[in-house]
Amino acid sequence: MRIGIYGGAFDPIHRGHLAAAKAASEALGLDKLLLIPSGISPHKAAPAGRADGADRLEMCRLAAGELPGAEVLDLELLRQGKSYTSDTLRQLHAQHPEDELWFLMGSDMFLSLHQWHEPEVITQLAGLAAFSRTREGEDQEFLRQKAYLEETYGARIALLPNPQVVEISSTQVRGMLADGKGREYLTDPVWGYIQRRGLYGTAADLKNLTPDQLRPIALSFLKPKRMAHVLGTEQEAIRLARQYGADVTAAQIAALLHDCTKKLTMEQQLALCEHYGIPLDELEKKALKLLHAKTGAAVARDLFGVSDEIYEAIYWHTTGKANMTLLEKVLYLADYVEPTRNFPGVERLREEVHRDLEDGLLMALTDGIEDLKSMGNPVHHRTQEARDYLLRGKES
């Protein structure tokens, strides 16, 4: 396996980093790319206004969705004291002894590598993949450094073209963000995370956001693999709200926030339930998948000031309940049949939902109950009550 290693402060990770990583992956034919936010740099002091390690790590995880085969590692952040590249490569070589490692580096790093700590170890454990910027005269400088490193250390070196180069530094991005600019250099989830955390001098009013303003912030709560689902739920909620006369803006906000705590562990979910005073029945205390609706509703109200109507829609979007409001039905079904869902029978269910909202809801609840029973899983009493309520309405 050929593995690329891309380290840096990533403070913040921006489109320049992603363009370079994509170019390296294509040029080297990488099977995997490791993004490694740096720990304490031995070369320079941390700049004022820097994000802490946890924030930089999370921004890298959010951005990694743009890079197929990317994985984010926290090994340098966990290391005590100053962090050297040679130590990182020793650790990775021990973990991947049979794989071919390539260390990705910008032009300044490449041209100064001989001055680093243990350059002989770096060049022994990994090939060097260096990006040349377009500055005048740099080509000759690169070639001289390449020859020197090959002759002195026996280095394996690939000089990589970067046709989509984005000439911007993290320092410049931080300065632009402090001035209310620079958003174009960030992916949506990273931009949303920066606003949510108030990093780099940003100051978003989280309780007065339009759906367009909320969208990147909502994405920042998610694992990359869930983002398409939430965006699909938003689009389906818009369609259903327009078709059946619900408040479109409320449907969008509910859809964008409905999974905002989905990635949390059982321990984290239970801690939020305790924090917000959320009552749980015996099944909910043991079923992780049931908790994110309740905690998500609480977080949506606490952080974003959503209305009671939106709060309730998020709260019930997993189990449903008897006598659901129009918005509750819209969110429940949008989550169920959004475009990325591909389970058997979903097309039939989509047709029914858009033919008649009540019949579609009854079908969704019935199918969900039957699926749970067929897998030997318990059915929450609220889900059973929701279906029974609809059946009684049809009989009356």
Side-chain angles (χ1 to χ4, degrees), residues 214-244:
L214 174 62
R215 191 174 299 109
I217 298 175
L219 293 177
S220 76
F221 284 92
L222 309 171
K223 292 182 178 179
K225 65 182 181 181
R226 181 153 292 271
M227 293 176 187
H229 163 69
V230 167
L231 293 175
T233 302
E234 180 197 9
Q235 292 308 306
E236 184 63 23
I238 291 171
R239 286 191 287 269
L240 291 174
R242 287 174 176 166
Q243 180 176 351
Y244 293 110

Side-chain angles (χ1 to χ4, degrees), residues 240-258:
L240 291 174
R242 287 174 176 166
Q243 180 176 351
Y244 293 110
D247 184 317
V248 173
T249 298
Q252 282 185 268
I253 292 172
L256 287 169
L257 294 175
H258 81 283

Side-chain angles (χ1 to χ4, degrees), residues 151-298:
E151 181 179 347
T152 306
Y153 303 111
R156 292 177 294 122
I157 297 174
L159 300 183
L160 303 181
N162 186 6
Q164 304 300 320
V165 63
V166 179
E167 288 281 12
I168 192 77
S169 70
S170 291
T171 301
Q172 290 171 309
V173 172
R174 289 196 301 271
M176 296 172 75
L177 291 172
D179 291 335
K181 304 173 185 176
R183 185 262 177 275
E184 67 271 21
Y185 293 107
L186 305 167
T187 65
D188 282 353
V190 172
W191 168 234
Y193 186 85
I194 288 169
Q195 292 182 93
R196 174 159 66 90
R197 296 282 294 161
L199 302 177
Y200 314 123
T202 59
D205 180 2
L206 299 183
K207 287 186 165 59
N208 290 284
L209 298 172
T210 66
D212 286 344
Q213 293 169 329
L214 174 62
R215 191 174 299 109
I217 298 175
L219 293 177
S220 76
F221 284 92
L222 309 171
K223 292 182 178 179
K225 65 182 181 181
R226 181 153 292 271
M227 293 176 187
H229 163 69
V230 167
L231 293 175
T233 302
E234 180 197 9
Q235 292 308 306
E236 184 63 23
I238 291 171
R239 286 191 287 269
L240 291 174
R242 287 174 176 166
Q243 180 176 351
Y244 293 110
D247 184 317
V248 173
T249 298
Q252 282 185 268
I253 292 172
L256 287 169
L257 294 175
H258 81 283
D259 276 353
C260 67
T261 61
K262 180 75 173 182
K263 73 177 183 180
L264 300 183
T265 64
M266 188 71 175
E267 182 180 6
Q268 291 169 324
Q269 295 283 4
L270 291 175
L272 279 180
C273 289
E274 183 176 357
H275 174 74
Y276 288 111
I278 299 170
L280 300 175
D281 60 33
E282 290 306 310
L283 176 56
E284 289 165 342
K285 291 176 183 177
K286 298 178 289 186
L288 176 61
K289 65 180 181 179
L290 296 179
L291 297 181
H292 76 280
K294 297 174 179 293
T295 58

Side-chain angles (χ1 to χ4, degrees), residues 101-113:
L101 304 182
W102 283 89
F103 181 57
L104 313 187
M105 53 199 331
S107 49
D108 292 340
M109 296 168 66
F110 178 68
L111 294 173
S112 65
L113 182 70

Side-chain angles (χ1 to χ4, degrees), residues 125-136:
L125 296 178
L128 307 179
F131 293 101
S132 176
R133 289 201 286 256
T134 56
R135 292 187 291 209
E136 185 176 350

